[in-house]
Amino acid sequence: MRIGLITSDPSHPLLSLTTALLAPDHQVDVLDPRTPPPVPEPLADVYLLKARTPPALALARTLERRHACVINSAAATELCQDRTSMAALALGSGLPFAATRTFSTLARLASGPALSGPAVVKSRHSRRHDVVARVDSPAQLRDLAAAHPDEPVVVQDLVPNDGWDHKLWAIGDRLFAGLRRSELSPEGRGPTQALRLDDLPPGWTALVHRVGEVFSLDVYGVDIIDSGHGAPLIVDINAFPGIRGQSGAPEALAALALSRADGAGADRSPCRGAGDTGRSGRDRLARRAPSCESAAEA
């Protein structure tokens, strides 16, 4: 079979180890979205979208229009980059997601009514080096707004917790887990610690699978904090994260790619995500949160 990697970093540990597993028996093509070459013909049996830039999403959409199987779909990937849409879909689907308010700019937030208490301010659009900051006072908010006045942001009230993020990753039906200090922690994030699935509170693994169903994702990460007595609160969802250092992750990704490729078949029927994934998510979003794209500023 032929597997395509949409990435500008094929040496990423997860991708390179997956390629090593596949290469003896299958052809692996790399498509760099920064300088996209003509797509090799015939199309690959499956493409892994390990990039979130506009050129990468455009390339994935082109492939999907040609009925290629792309994991994750461009629409599902893009949905996870918009924290307003992400929160609206999650909350509208009954997931325990942090309540989220949207502001057109940080300057607008800082010039409005004072926050009711400590809060987390994040860029609305998730990307590298985006804004993620804890704000405890009006002075801190003014300083943040002075540094990023035109940044569209979301605000989430700070929920008391133990300061640790539970990092849950899914590759198909396989789950992996780690424990890492919150990026808001004064001590810094530090390394990810090993965490056994059996050590998670009851219901958390089922919750991660439910996230995949709601957002129609095959490879994804879910950041959860324990808000007390094992009650989960989702604070972020990522499409195709790095999943570094997780034993068995490359094997799971290779198996998923081959399974989806085999399922797509010679007729190029769309795999999960190419046709219904993002559309179903956005349809649910439109039904349950019609104003998510123009969320009221509070």
Side-chain angles (χ1 to χ4, degrees):
M1 291 184 178
R2 290 181 60 217
I3 294 89
L5 304 181
I6 303 175
T7 180
S8 58
D9 184 18
S11 65
H12 183 286
L14 178 62
L15 295 183
S16 62
L17 291 171
T18 300
T19 297
L21 292 169
L22 292 168
D25 302 305
H26 307 279
Q27 180 178 338
V28 180
D29 300 324
V30 176
L31 283 71
D32 189 337
R34 295 175 300 183
T35 54
V39 176
E41 294 286 355
L43 292 179
D45 297 288
V46 65
Y47 293 90
L48 304 181
L49 177 56
K50 184 66 178 78
R52 307 171 195 174
T53 61
L57 294 174
L59 176 57
R61 289 191 186 92
T62 296
L63 292 167
E64 289 169 351
R65 283 194 293 269
R66 296 171 64 182
H67 306 294
C69 176
V70 180
I71 301 173
N72 300 292
S73 75
T77 300
E78 186 175 41
L79 179 60
C80 289
Q81 291 181 283
D82 184 340
R83 289 186 169 111
T84 298
S85 297
M86 178 198 303
L89 177 56
L91 291 167
S93 301
L95 295 173
F97 197 92
T100 301
R101 293 167 289 159
T102 300
F103 293 82
S104 57
T105 66
L106 245 172
R108 183 79 174 267
L109 169 62
S111 66
L115 297 174
S116 59
V120 180
V121 177
K122 304 178 182 179
S123 294
R124 172 174 177 169
H125 302 289
S126 175
R127 61 193 187 280
R128 285 189 179 184
H129 311 303
D130 59 358
V131 173
V132 179
R134 173 173 172 163
V135 173
D136 291 285
S137 69
Q140 285 181 324
L141 181 57
R142 287 194 297 271
D143 289 344
L144 189 64
H148 310 276
D150 299 322
E151 182 75 15
V153 294
V154 299
V155 177
Q156 298 169 343
D157 292 337
L158 188 69
V159 176
N161 63 89
D162 60 6
W164 291 89
D165 287 345
H166 294 76
K167 311 287 290 186
L168 283 298
W169 300 283
I171 301 177
D173 293 330
R174 288 283 307 276
L175 296 185
F176 306 87
L179 198 61
R180 194 174 184 184
R181 278 283 180 192
S182 167
E183 60 188 310
L184 305 173
S185 171
E187 298 89 357
R189 301 209 70 171
T192 300
Q193 300 182 13
L195 181 63
R196 299 190 315 152
L197 293 175
D198 290 344
D199 292 335
L200 293 170
W204 282 32
T205 56
L207 174 61
V208 175
H209 287 304
R210 176 61 181 154
V211 168
E213 294 171 357
V214 169
F215 283 81
S216 299
L217 295 165
D218 284 303
V219 183
Y220 57 99
V222 184
D223 291 354
I224 302 176
I225 61 173
D226 185 340
S227 61
H229 307 290
L233 184 70
I234 300 172
V235 295
D236 206 1
I237 300 167
N238 298 289
F240 221 127
I243 320 180
R244 296 173 183 267
Q246 293 295 311
S247 177
E251 290 81 1
L253 184 57
L256 175 67
L258 294 177
S259 173
R260 291 289 188 269
D262 185 58
D267 62 351
R268 296 288 171 201
S269 299
C271 67
R272 174 179 174 177
D276 62 3
T277 299
R279 187 160 56 237
S280 64
R282 291 198 182 277
D283 285 349
R284 288 193 295 270
L285 186 60
R287 289 196 299 271
R288 293 172 176 160
S291 61
C292 73
E293 291 300 328
S294 57
E297 296 179 353

